[in-house]
Amino acid sequence: MPRGTGYDEYDHERFDRPRRRTRPRTKDRPSYDDAVDGVVVTVDRGRLTCLVEGRPVMAMKSRPLGRKGVVVGDHVRIVGDVSGAEGSLARIVEVDERRTVLRRTADDDDPVERVIVANADQLVVVAALADPEPRPRLIDRALVAAYDAGLDPLLCMTKADLADPETLLTIYRPLGVPHVVTQRGDDLAEVRARLAGKVSVLIGHSGVGKSTLVNALVPGSDRAIGHVNAVTGRGRHTSTSALMLPLPRYDDGGGWIVDTPGIRSFGLAHVQPGQLIGAFPDLEELTDECPRGCTHGEGEPECGLDDAIADGRTDVDRVQSFRRLLASRERAEDD
Ligand code: ZN
């Protein structure tokens, strides 16, 4: 594919490292010594686009994988025609163990959970400071999904030329959420520094400037998407799937972003309320004496967090912010 389309500069080293096998070899299973390593960059109706040594290769799951899902970000082993030539279709025969898994539940009444992205490091919540107004409830829910998945959150506030970030920052400061602020014409140096060398998933509802950000970070990403379509022969990219794009290599060494055009809500029914506190070790250590099954939420009887507030061992704003996140799991997004 032509230079400048995004996929030609991807970070080889990161994906050429030795891998762990997901299952032991047995004599009943074929060995795939001729298989090549790839990473799944998008999925469209059962067809997976994988990057193999920088070129997009269309593949499908092979039978030995059974019902195991393969998602964007998965590191896979591929056999068959891995030329990437038009009309070629290779087979994915193995999927590496996942380092992290970002999930969502379709909505809170439908507890079927879906994996959105595997092996991400960071969840970047893109929110406009104005036009449209920031929606803290959506941000809270995204943060819960990030903490639950073990991803580092990053709050990316756009359109700082329209409104002061301080109002929104006041809400998230007690949680210690890292943040960056951007505005029209920004060179994005700070954002790039935060993304360097990591796999970052970007989420944000329409109008917040996420697409603008993606295009600025990966020049030509529109064309890369067009190229994927040319390979799949399926017209425009169905915007329900995530799409992984390699960041241009600067001195700070690459990294990837995963755009999530189809994600408008973050159902959280899969999140176990008692586990969210694990993302806040300073609070967790105050809960040793909690009654069994305590979720550490507002109104829990004899919760250790209340004792800690009472005798000044923790910051009341931090506990209240944690409890707001916990409660956001149970409330609808639009109220
Ligand atoms: Zn508790």
Side-chain angles (χ1 to χ4, degrees):
M1 75 194 277
R3 284 198 66 79
T5 47
Y7 284 135
D8 50 348
E9 298 164 52
Y10 94 108
D11 191 342
H12 285 263
E13 285 159 31
R14 186 175 183 105
F15 291 101
D16 288 350
R17 59 174 172 60
R19 346 158 295 107
R20 280 168 292 178
R21 305 267 170 205
T22 51
R23 284 180 285 181
R25 295 266 165 88
T26 72
K27 65 175 164 30
D28 299 327
R29 291 185 66 232
S31 76
Y32 298 113
D33 292 338
D34 57 340
V36 298
D37 290 329
V39 59
V40 177
V41 295
T42 195
V43 181
D44 184 5
R45 284 163 286 181
R47 294 287 190 270
L48 300 100
T49 306
C50 306
L51 277 195
V52 176
E53 292 165 353
R55 65 183 185 277
V57 169
M58 189 60 51
M60 58 186 290
K61 277 169 55 180
S62 71
R63 196 168 299 162
L65 293 177
R67 298 174 67 87
K68 184 182 174 71
V70 184
V71 302
V72 170
D74 266 326
H75 300 191
V76 296
R77 301 264 291 162
I78 310 172
V79 299
D81 185 348
V82 295
S83 67
E86 203 173 331
S88 65
L89 187 62
R91 287 178 298 126
I92 295 173
V93 290
E94 287 183 319
V95 181
D96 280 11
E97 192 179 315
R98 292 168 179 161
R99 203 161 40 77
T100 64
V101 176
L102 178 64
R103 306 165 198 274
R104 69 192 280 233
T105 319
D107 66 57
D108 289 344
D109 298 328
D110 168 14
V112 176
E113 67 176 62
R114 297 166 209 286
V115 176
I116 309 169
V117 180
N119 302 316
D121 301 301
Q122 182 165 255
L123 184 68
V124 182
V125 185
V126 185
L129 291 163
D131 188 30
E133 289 295 307
R135 295 165 69 183
R137 181 63 47 79
L138 288 180
I139 298 171
D140 285 353
R141 293 176 64 95
L143 292 175
V144 171
Y147 290 126
D148 183 64
L151 305 190
D152 296 327
L154 175 66
L155 180 58
C156 178
M157 291 174 282
T158 62
K159 308 191 187 184
D161 44 329
L162 302 182
D164 187 340
E166 189 52 34
T167 310
L168 200 57
L169 277 175
T170 305
I171 299 175
Y172 293 101
R173 201 168 274 132
L175 289 168
V177 180
H179 69 270
V180 285
V181 179
T182 71
Q183 60 185 14
R184 195 184 305 268
D186 202 319
D187 68 359
L188 299 177
E190 204 185 339
V191 178
R192 290 183 214 278
R194 290 280 190 173
L195 302 181
K198 296 177 184 168
V199 178
S200 301
V201 181
L202 273 62
I203 65 154
H205 62 282
S206 65
V208 298
K210 179 167 65 67
S211 302
T212 308
L213 194 60
V214 169
N215 287 323
L217 292 169
V218 185
S221 57
D222 290 346
R223 279 173 290 145
I225 293 163
H227 185 85
V228 167
N229 292 342
V231 175
T232 62
R234 286 167 189 257
R236 70 183 274 280
H237 183 75
T238 53
S239 59
T240 51
S241 175
L243 177 67
M244 187 159 166
L245 295 159
L247 290 166
R249 268 179 178 277
Y250 298 100
D251 293 345
D252 43 19
W256 297 73
I257 54 173
V258 182
D259 192 13
T260 56
I263 295 178
R264 292 180 186 84
S265 65
F266 244 112
L268 297 171
H270 62 280
V271 175
Q272 299 298 314
Q275 289 181 11
L276 186 65
I277 199 155
F280 303 90
D282 61 306
L283 297 182
E284 187 174 29
E285 71 178 23
L286 302 171
T287 62
D288 290 345
E289 308 288 307
C290 282
R292 202 181 159 82
C294 183
T295 65
H296 322 302
E298 193 78 54
E300 282 277 18
E302 298 173 58
C303 180
L305 295 181
D306 292 309
D307 296 342
I309 292 170
D311 57 24
R313 277 175 295 144
T314 189
D315 173 32
V316 62
D317 289 342
R318 185 161 167 85
V319 172
Q320 284 176 347
S321 296
F322 164 74
R323 286 177 165 167
R324 188 190 72 236
L325 287 192
L326 194 63
S328 77
R329 187 190 146 271
E330 287 156 4
R331 284 187 297 226
E333 292 195 354
D334 295 320
D335 62 359

